Amino acid sequence: EDMITRAYQSFSAAFGNHPTDVCYAVKANSNIAILQCLAELGAGFDIVSGGELSRIIKAGGSPQRTVFSGVGKQDWEIEFALKEDIGCFNVESASELNRIAKIAERLDLVAPISIRVNPDVDPKTGPYISTGLKENKFGVSAIQAMDMYVRAATLSSLNIVGIDCHIGSQITQLEPFLEALTAILSLCDELKRANITLQHIDLGGGIGVRYKDEQPLDIDEFAGAILQAMSGRSESLMFEPGRMIVANA
């Protein structure tokens, strides 16, 4: 518990006064006691299923501070998340966007959404845990994202709140994160010109840990570089660390 607490607090504190949500990736370890510990520390959560949302609720976590990621959201899971007042859906495709809009309309609710953009960045990690290159199955291109945001802005059952990217797992270098952020900020500026303003930028998780001889990122250096790139910008930050919170514990 002490190690989990220190890992969470060191990450959270590194971003200082910049509004930052640290949403623990439940898939890293969904043990109820661990979720309860993190909820009590003030963590948000990142989920990929309705079952994980049930576990967060049972552990005393807040659905309003939870992001629902993943490519396989079923209709009942979307409905459950909407009724529990989910903080945000990270949308992975145009078809998913339409499905969430229809379900929210049927329930007479408004779905908060961000779109997962694939920034075509090499995370310099293993080929099977890389998710940010254009040949990977996750997220949409910047061009597709632009079209989806413009469409979402016309739908009364959707509320655009952010933008999301997640480039891979077990990343031990800073450059891929900064490259991805540069691409995302460029898209944010393009959206602003189209009168679409985002509240948050979600840079996902994927920060590596030491298993054998890896040299993990220095979290203060990581945060400092991100904050420098965000200088003068109003968007809040969101991260979805999992492995780096629980692996060493």
Side-chain angles (χ1 to χ4, degrees):
E1 183 181 2
D2 181 55
M3 199 166 267
I4 290 168
T5 300
R6 278 189 284 125
Y8 170 78
Q9 289 179 337
S10 68
F11 192 97
S12 182
F15 290 89
N17 295 325
H18 192 97
T20 304
D21 252 330
V22 182
C23 297
Y24 168 67
V26 175
K27 63 180 174 284
N29 188 318
S30 61
N31 177 281
I32 299 283
I34 288 175
L35 299 182
Q36 186 176 9
C37 166
L38 287 161
E40 288 170 357
L41 288 168
F45 295 93
D46 165 53
I47 61 168
V48 293
S49 72
E52 288 184 348
L53 179 56
S54 295
R55 296 178 80 82
I56 286 164
I57 293 166
K58 186 172 181 179
S62 168
Q64 292 89 354
R65 298 212 34 238
T66 298
V67 292
F68 197 156
S69 306
V71 295
K73 302 178 190 75
Q74 298 180 60
D75 287 3
W76 74 266
E77 293 174 305
I78 294 167
E79 191 169 318
F80 175 37
L82 282 166
K83 287 177 178 176
E84 291 294 338
D85 198 18
I86 196 80
C88 182
F89 289 99
N90 285 339
V91 180
E92 300 258 5
S93 67
S95 60
E96 185 191 316
L97 186 77
N98 292 334
R99 220 151 40 91
I100 290 172
K102 284 177 183 172
I103 293 168
E105 187 177 19
R106 173 167 55 79
L107 296 173
D108 197 24
L109 294 169
V110 177
I113 62 111
S114 71
I115 292 169
R116 179 170 175 177
V117 178
N118 186 322
D120 195 20
V121 168
D122 182 0
K124 299 187 170 53
T125 186
Y128 304 114
I129 49 175
S130 167
T131 59
L133 287 163
K134 65 182 177 185
E135 62 263 29
N136 299 131
K137 64 183 177 182
F138 300 97
V140 299
S141 70
I143 293 170
Q144 286 175 293
M146 193 72 197
D147 291 341
M148 287 167 64
Y149 275 114
V150 169
R151 170 160 170 70
T154 69
L155 300 173
S156 59
S157 61
L158 298 180
N159 177 30
I160 297 167
V161 294
I163 190 166
D164 170 54
C165 79
H166 178 81
I167 57 173
S169 299
Q170 188 54 14
I171 302 166
T172 56
Q173 296 182 39
L174 183 57
E175 290 74 18
F177 286 108
L178 294 178
E179 199 178 328
L181 179 56
T182 299
I184 293 299
L185 292 178
S186 175
L187 185 54
C188 288
D189 293 339
E190 197 175 337
L191 286 165
K192 199 166 188 179
R193 289 191 287 272
N195 294 316
I196 296 170
T197 304
L198 305 177
Q199 295 169 32
H200 75 248
I201 294 170
D202 183 344
L203 287 175
I207 295 168
V209 299
R210 185 169 191 167
Y211 287 103
K212 190 179 178 185
D213 54 9
E214 297 92 340
Q215 188 60 47
L217 282 168
D218 180 283
I219 295 303
D220 288 329
E221 184 185 341
F222 169 79
I226 298 289
L227 291 173
Q228 189 174 355
M230 289 290 295
S231 180
R233 301 192 70 101
S234 60
E235 300 96 340
S236 66
L237 286 166
M238 189 177 284
F239 295 94
E240 298 159 3
R243 188 191 309 251
M244 73 144 296
I245 302 290
V246 293
N248 288 323

